[in-house]
Amino acid sequence: MADLTNGFSRRQFLASTSCFGAFYAVAKFIPLPALAAELASDSRVSPTPLVDKGFASVRKIGNGLYATISDTSKGFQTTCNGGFLVGRNAAFLIEGFSSAPGASFQMDALRMVSQVPVKCALDTHYHYDHSMGNSFYGASGVPLWAHASAAKRIVDSYAPMQGVEKDTALATFIKRVRDAKSDMERAHAQSDLDAMTGIFGVANASVLGLPNHPLDPAKLPISIDLGGLTAVLESYPGHSGTDIVVRVPEQNVVYTGDLLFNGLYPVCFDAQVTVSGWRETLKHFAALDKDTLFVPGHGQICGQEGIAMIREVFDDIAGQAEKMYKAGIPVEEARERYIVPDKFKSLFIWAWGFAIGSAITNLYVEWKAGKS
Ligand SMILES: [Zn+2]
């Protein structure tokens, strides 16, 4: 397995230098922050990782609970966070990651601590960085669970990126950079093009693997008994229309998927994003126990302070957008005019339009429809 990982990472490196482009160049400069002091002293959290491969490390965060935390400054095998739960009778893996070697890495980490059968793996949602490594589970005979819409959305979103030239797939993004009316607009458009180039590179190079165990959100929550360890799967609105979280109530631990970004502006580009729904979801997380440990979809493990921070970010985006909405500023202009306040300058913006611009568009749509 180690050889496979190494072989793949060399190929990925070659691919990244040729077509993944500036997205990777930017992300390379953003190393993962260290574990916050209060978490480092949390008795649930192991001070040293079980394994650290650079691109991701795995750390024990509870009784039978592990978090896989990615550091994209060191590689893109995993890209998102995940983790696994180990009971007496079975294990439960979280995320398909951005490549098969990424998923394989997490499976290897599980096998360092337990040989129990794997009950299943879960994609917390269908996005490429959580699902492009799904083929590993197919090849390993691991049942793959996800929201009932996830399989279709993987196919609809990523199959069109296969068998086409890069410039064709990226044409509308390239045009936006060319047509930009100011340096600021051009920089925003370029950040979107860089992100899309990254998505295209990964989707184009991956064999798509689809979840074979659809979870009907109307039938959630469900409890999974792994033997002395119970996980609860819950569905919430917000980031993608397919979001499932894994909660371990007895230990106050939540694997949120991308319903929580820690240290980054939330990514809101999905066609089914709902900013009002997402803010309600975060309000619900904020009402969980004050000692709750969150494994976010991206960024370092955090406590309730991470939830408070992303809620503040949404408050700020909504506050600025509402002023512009009420002043009659068209959405196309409002998307560009948001100002990052000093207190959020340290947050990483993956791509302007995919994060801030999309949030503002969604807020405008919701206000026009008379929602929030
Ligand atoms: Zn996502």
Side-chain angles (χ1 to χ4, degrees):
M1 280 305 172
D3 286 339
L4 176 67
T5 307
N6 291 338
F8 206 97
S9 59
R10 270 196 300 278
R11 270 173 34 219
Q12 283 216 320
F13 173 75
L14 292 174
S16 74
T17 53
S18 60
C19 75
F20 288 17
F23 161 61
Y24 286 80
V26 172
K28 271 194 172 70
F29 291 115
I30 318 288
L32 184 77
L35 209 56
E38 56 271 29
L39 288 186
S41 61
D42 186 316
S43 63
R44 289 169 294 184
V45 178
S46 168
T48 48
L50 171 72
V51 53
D52 187 348
K53 285 264 186 180
F55 64 82
S57 61
V58 176
R59 188 185 298 271
K60 191 165 191 274
I61 59 163
N63 198 358
L65 308 180
Y66 295 81
T68 300
I69 303 296
S70 287
D71 182 351
T72 54
S73 72
K74 301 200 180 78
F76 293 92
Q77 285 87 341
T78 44
T79 307
C80 73
N81 296 335
F84 49 88
L85 287 61
V86 188
R88 272 194 315 273
N89 307 324
F92 184 106
L93 294 158
I94 300 170
E95 299 300 11
F97 300 105
S98 52
S99 76
S104 170
F105 157 74
Q106 181 168 266
M107 179 70 125
D108 287 350
L110 163 65
R111 287 304 177 222
M112 288 171 71
V113 297
S114 172
Q115 301 304 317
V116 292
V118 175
K119 182 177 178 65
C120 66
L122 170 82
D123 289 350
T124 60
H125 62 297
Y126 80 94
H127 285 160
Y128 82 106
D129 47 331
H130 301 252
S131 66
M132 288 296 111
N134 283 349
S135 59
F136 168 78
Y137 297 122
S140 311
V142 173
L144 184 57
W145 296 18
H147 186 286
S149 306
K152 181 178 187 315
R153 298 203 63 201
I154 288 170
V155 173
D156 290 352
S157 305
Y158 305 119
M161 294 184 190
Q162 303 187 327
V164 285
E165 291 300 319
K166 189 172 85 166
D167 285 356
T168 310
L170 301 176
T172 53
F173 290 87
I174 294 168
K175 186 172 184 308
R176 269 185 50 218
V177 174
R178 216 174 33 225
D179 295 350
K181 291 192 282 290
S182 68
D183 287 348
M184 182 183 71
E185 267 189 41
R186 191 168 301 105
H188 292 170
Q190 184 66 49
S191 74
D192 292 349
L193 173 59
D194 294 344
M196 206 56 211
T197 304
I199 297 174
F200 173 84
V202 175
N204 189 267
S206 299
V207 174
L208 300 184
L210 303 181
N212 65 336
H213 184 105
L215 297 166
D216 178 351
K219 293 183 181 152
L220 297 182
I222 51 167
S223 290
I224 316 286
D225 179 8
L226 301 171
L229 176 59
T230 300
V232 182
L233 306 189
E234 300 169 344
S235 153
Y236 293 98
H239 172 70
S240 74
T242 60
D243 303 294
I244 308 270
V245 314
V246 182
R247 202 155 71 81
V248 183
E250 283 166 14
Q251 300 189 50
N252 288 332
V253 171
V254 186
Y255 298 81
T256 63
D258 282 2
L259 288 167
L260 176 60
F261 286 80
N262 184 25
L264 303 84
Y265 265 80
V267 173
C268 299
F269 76 100
D270 198 275
Q272 290 185 25
V273 76
T274 154
V275 171
S276 62
W278 196 338
R279 291 170 87 190
E280 278 303 309
T281 297
L282 292 167
K283 198 170 158 186
H284 174 81
F285 291 165
L288 294 173
D289 192 283
K290 67 176 175 30
D291 287 329
T292 302
L293 203 56
F294 294 95
V295 179
H298 298 268
Q300 191 52 274
I301 302 164
C302 58
Q304 282 288 5
E305 78 287 350
I307 300 293
M309 167 75 104
I310 187 176
R311 292 184 78 198
E312 265 190 68
V313 171
F314 270 125
D315 289 349
D316 186 65
I317 296 173
Q320 291 193 38
E322 191 175 12
K323 278 193 197 127
M324 294 190 275
Y325 180 77
K326 286 184 172 158
I329 292 170
V331 66
E332 299 74 27
E333 201 181 319
R335 286 173 61 97
E336 310 291 339
R337 276 177 46 175
Y338 172 83
I339 293 164
V340 177
D342 283 346
K343 62 180 172 179
F344 298 144
K345 284 245 157 66
S346 64
L347 299 185
F348 179 51
I349 302 170
W350 177 51
W352 186 272
F354 284 38
I356 293 156
S358 312
I360 292 171
T361 298
N362 186 257
L363 285 161
Y364 263 62
V365 168
E366 290 185 340
W367 288 325
K368 282 209 171 96
K371 284 193 205 168
S372 50

